[in-house]
Amino acid sequence: MNVSFFRISYNAAWIVLLVFTLNYFIEFLPWNGIILILFWILLGIGVKSKEVLKGYTYTIMIFAAVTAAMYYPSWFTTWGDFTLSSLIVPLLQLIMFGMGTSMSLKDFHGVIKMPKGVLAGVLCQFTIMPFIGFALAKSSGLPPEIAAGIILVGCSPSGMASNVMSFLAKANLALSITITAVTTMLAPFVTPALMGWLAGEFVEVDILKMMMDIVKIVIIPIGAGLLFNRFFRGKVKWLDDAMPLLSMIAIGVIIVIITAAGRDSLLSIGPILIGLVVIHNLSGYTLGYWAGKLFRMDERDCRTIALEVGMQNGGLASGIAKEMGKIATVGLAPAVFGPFMNITGSVLASYWHRKGVKENE
């Protein structure tokens, strides 16, 4: 598209926001929700005209979808007799299959080549975020099931988003991919054990069932993706090209469904939950980075650990919440964490990219 189109869209977004603001106080139009959704859509298109902001299009479109879910939740809960939350697990399996198609057994060779970095990353992943999540949940004063969602986010492995951000941040991409692969494969064992230990006082946790749910959501689809990559990589070009886009759409749909299901809870505790998510996410980056320094790792590896720890697989956490039958409560924290970590991860990666890495670091 022409650059002028994006510029016009960007300027129009701010005009629409002004209309929304006036309408909020004066109420001369009955379509406040539609106006705000239009603002996000125009802004999402318009930021493509700004070099610094054009990477945020997807995140802004998620805000448009979440706004729609908050204003019109009935659109995203049931269609006739069909409950949309039943789409969450199949969509997650699609995402994990896509993750598998982008991996190969070579991704696990890093365990041998970089044992110190992988061990440090896995250890930080399954200690820093779970215990911060527990501390936040314990002190939050939130309803127990919503507080348990914060712990669930912390107990989840890292996802593919951390790999993208590591690449942008000039971190150690090979180490990032290896840590993501290892923590994902360990998730069926480690995540339920941590949840049973840390979240048991907030919500009933069936550890064995959670293990089987994660195997169903993660291990089987990733295994299928690995086999696809092994035998068909490059032979089905359209699918190779489509999987990243399909995964992004699937993540967006999952976030919207969860937001609609938990809309009433978000309206009452939203600001508190958002504040806790901010602390959780930023603490992960900070403590992950300095843990890398503690392990005497170089600058690139410290950046990698920071991003791996701070960016969790919110989609998996949402799927686990769905299988627990608590998507509208336990699933809220993952739904908030996902979009926010993409914003902060992008900002941090951009900062590190501009800063570069000195040879002596």
Side-chain angles (χ1 to χ4, degrees):
M1 289 187 184
N2 195 297
V3 175
S4 61
F5 170 79
F6 296 127
R7 192 174 295 116
I8 291 169
S9 180
Y10 183 80
N11 294 330
W14 299 111
I15 295 172
V16 171
L17 182 61
L18 177 62
V19 172
F20 170 80
T21 305
L22 293 173
N23 193 56
Y24 184 83
F25 293 103
I26 303 174
E27 296 184 5
F28 56 89
L29 292 172
W31 313 307
N32 240 5
I34 299 296
I35 296 170
L36 189 55
I37 293 166
L38 179 61
F39 160 71
W40 287 119
I41 292 173
L42 289 171
L43 184 64
I45 297 170
V47 293
K48 287 183 175 291
S49 66
K50 307 292 181 180
E51 188 65 31
V52 178
L53 299 175
K54 65 181 182 181
Y56 294 103
T57 295
Y58 174 68
T59 301
I60 293 171
M61 290 302 184
I62 291 292
F63 284 138
V66 167
T67 300
M70 292 296 289
Y71 271 94
Y72 312 104
S74 60
W75 295 359
F76 308 100
T77 50
T78 56
W79 288 355
D81 296 329
F82 181 71
T83 303
L84 267 67
S85 61
S86 61
L87 292 173
I88 290 175
V89 170
L91 287 172
L92 278 169
Q93 290 171 325
L94 174 67
I95 293 167
M96 294 301 163
F97 174 78
M99 182 176 175
T101 61
S102 66
M103 297 167 60
S104 70
L105 293 178
K106 292 179 181 179
D107 292 329
F108 295 91
H109 291 174
V111 178
I112 300 171
K113 295 178 180 177
M114 300 171 288
K116 178 183 174 182
V118 175
L119 179 61
V122 173
L123 183 63
C124 291
Q125 177 69 51
F126 287 126
T127 54
I128 292 173
M129 291 300 271
F131 287 109
I132 294 175
F134 174 76
L136 292 173
K138 191 77 172 173
S139 60
S140 68
L142 293 174
E145 289 188 1
I146 295 177
I150 300 172
I151 300 175
L152 178 57
V153 169
C155 294
S156 299
S158 54
M160 293 292 286
S162 62
N163 305 155
V164 176
M165 299 309 169
S166 289
F167 172 74
L168 295 175
K170 296 185 177 180
N172 187 335
L173 180 59
L175 177 61
S176 176
I177 292 171
T178 304
I179 292 173
T180 297
V182 172
T183 55
T184 300
M185 294 305 173
L186 288 175
F189 312 102
V190 180
T191 298
L194 286 171
M195 279 295 290
W197 178 27
L198 299 175
E201 66 179 274
F202 297 94
V203 66
E204 183 179 350
V205 179
D206 186 334
I207 295 177
L208 183 59
K209 181 180 183 302
M210 190 177 289
M211 288 177 64
M212 298 310 297
D213 289 339
I214 297 175
V215 169
K216 176 177 71 176
I217 294 170
V218 176
I219 303 302
I220 294 175
I222 284 181
L226 284 167
L227 289 174
F228 180 90
N229 188 16
R230 173 69 178 82
F231 295 106
F232 300 105
R233 185 69 170 176
K235 297 178 182 178
V236 191
K237 188 70 168 60
W238 66 269
L239 186 59
D240 293 341
D241 296 337
M243 280 313 303
L245 178 60
L246 288 174
S247 295
M248 292 171 70
I249 293 172
I251 291 169
V253 172
I254 290 168
I255 290 172
V256 168
I257 291 172
I258 296 169
T259 302
R263 182 237 191 201
D264 293 340
S265 295
L266 276 173
L267 286 175
S268 60
I269 53 88
I272 298 172
L273 184 59
I274 291 170
L276 294 171
V277 163
V278 170
I279 295 170
H280 201 184
N281 178 232
L282 298 184
S283 297
Y285 295 138
T286 304
L287 295 178
Y289 181 86
W290 290 105
K293 291 293 187 184
L294 189 64
F295 280 102
R296 299 185 181 279
M297 302 172 75
D298 64 27
E299 175 66 16
R300 293 176 69 245
D301 289 353
C302 288
R303 294 180 182 185
T304 304
I305 302 296
L307 292 165
E308 286 297 310
V309 173
M311 304 190 73
Q312 305 293 86
N313 192 334
L316 174 59
S318 300
I320 294 171
K322 167 63 175 65
E323 292 301 288
M324 292 172 71
K326 302 182 185 299
I327 193 64
T329 51
V330 177
L332 284 182
V336 174
F337 193 96
F340 183 76
M341 78 168 188
N342 282 317
I343 296 171
T344 57
S346 298
V347 171
L348 182 59
S350 297
Y351 167 74
W352 273 333
H353 182 85
R354 290 194 301 270
K355 184 180 178 183
V357 181
K358 297 177 183 177
E359 289 299 321
N360 59 0
E361 291 182 317

